[in-house]
Amino acid sequence: MLPLQIVVIGGGAAGFFGAIACAKANPQAEVTLLEASRQPLAKVLISGGGRCNVTHACFDSEELVQNYPRGAKALRGALTRFGPQDTVAWFAAGGVYLKTEADGRMFPVTNTSETIVECLIKAVATSGVKLRIGTHVTSVKRTSAGEGFDILLKSGETIKCDRLLLATGSSLVGYKIVRELGHQIEPPVPSLFTFNIVDQKLRDLAGVSVNPAQLRLSGGGKSQLQQTGPLLITHWGLSGPAVLKLSAWGARVLHESRYQGTLLINWLPNLHQEQVREKVLAVKDEWGKKAIALHRGVDLPHRLWQYIIARVGITTEDRWAEISSKTLNQLVQELTLGQYLINGKGAFKEEFVTCGGVKLKEVNFKTMESRLVPGLYFAGEILDIDGVTGGFNFQSAWTTGYLAGVAMATSD
């Protein structure tokens, strides 16, 4: 009997993990990993600022799935079968140890993504996976007997396999293959990006940060379109974890509005609006003869405070005793519900995440096998799954890759 022929298309995190898991679960199988570029794991290498945010120290699957704007329900069971604790153990078994930072992100103790890349490449070699780089796939067809696949390469070569794992990320070729095989694609749109803000005076504050700030998309409707966390002002607008999380949850809404809209910012989310009013009134009573620009009474960076009072028409010479009730109300409103115009999106260089992909109802998340095409499996970003920043996207790649690999190796 001929050994099982298994092919994985896509040499990223999910593809490598799937190929390794498959080869380890069935050493008799012949596993081939195809990567179009000359540099496998390129995204892993540059992720996390070159440190690779491998996963997140959240070991409760119910809590973990709350970090996935798309795919939470489908991943719930999958993450109980291979979660962050399993990822930590897997890399430790390969001699790579992870450390946890204050915000829960986990990195290799070496602080370099090369450690992760080297570990995966070594695991591919030792498990007997045949890695072929610079190998472009142009199309995939079911065999005439319907019990396998013919993979056509750009070189003209055809590779036959019994089972196929697609881990091609958000590549157009991958989506083309998915459609050829009868699956539907949720239209891909960007996720995890920064906001361009139409306000040069705000941009002049580049480098100022506030933690926490609360952001809300005006007219967003859904509770997820509001995020609280660290906010960073940049020379193009706004960035930081709160912005990135909001961009992920609002990916489709923002895409549909062509990245135009109104952002509402509460600079003091730890206080109710009336508490802010009381603080402002207290500083007015105590420092009536002092310049408003120099005596703020609320916990905000000095430059930001000067910018905010200028937005309501307060000059650097104005004193607290001179402020009218109307201006005071406007100041409270500006501090707790300021309006900023979003005019496009910026890049977030450390993450390249897409919302969209293979429709999840067409995939069995116990095995990652297609519900439409027997022998076809999916892993990673080709699926309509994406997480917020913090190691969650890599974790979904490890989880889906591992489950697919084991299932391909062991299913009848």
Side-chain angles (χ1 to χ4, degrees), residues 13 22 45 159 266 285 288 313 338 350 377-379 383:
C22 186
L45 197 60
I159 300 175
N266 181 351
D285 290 341
E350 294 185 6
Y377 296 77
F378 301 102
L383 294 156

Side-chain angles (χ1 to χ4, degrees), residues 4 6 17-26 29 81 162-165 363-370 375-378 399-412:
L4 201 59
I6 294 172
F17 224 63
I20 295 163
C22 186
K24 286 185 175 181
N26 185 350
R81 291 186 282 279
D162 302 299
R163 290 167 193 165
L164 173 66
L165 171 58
V363 181
N364 176 354
F365 269 74
K366 289 184 178 179
T367 60
M368 304 313 302
E369 186 175 15
S370 163
L376 175 64
Y377 296 77
F378 301 102
T399 294
T400 55
Y402 181 85
L403 294 179
V406 171
M408 287 192 298
T410 56
S411 58
D412 294 331

Side-chain angles (χ1 to χ4, degrees), residues 197-206 208 233-234 303-304 306-308 310-311 340:
I197 302 293
V198 190
D199 187 335
Q200 187 55 50
K201 290 181 179 178
L202 178 71
R203 295 176 180 186
D204 290 343
L205 300 178
V208 171
I233 300 172
T234 69
R303 289 170 61 204
L304 178 61
Q306 292 190 318
Y307 162 80
I308 288 172
R311 275 174 68 100
Y340 298 81

Side-chain angles (χ1 to χ4, degrees), residues 256-321:
E256 289 163 7
S257 69
R258 298 185 179 184
Y259 305 101
Q260 309 288 315
T262 301
L263 181 69
L264 305 175
I265 302 182
N266 181 351
W267 298 101
L268 300 164
N270 290 334
L271 300 172
H272 296 301
Q273 192 175 66
E274 275 310 306
Q275 291 175 310
V276 174
R277 186 184 307 280
E278 288 169 9
K279 278 185 170 290
V280 170
L281 285 170
V283 75
K284 180 183 179 183
D285 290 341
E286 185 175 354
W287 303 100
K289 295 181 180 180
K290 301 293 186 179
I292 298 170
L294 299 177
H295 294 77
R296 53 190 180 274
V298 293
D299 187 17
L300 285 177
H302 179 63
R303 289 170 61 204
L304 178 61
W305 171 256
Q306 292 190 318
Y307 162 80
I308 288 172
I309 63 172
R311 275 174 68 100
V312 297
I314 297 172
T315 69
T316 53
E317 290 79 28
D318 287 340
R319 304 187 183 282
W320 275 109

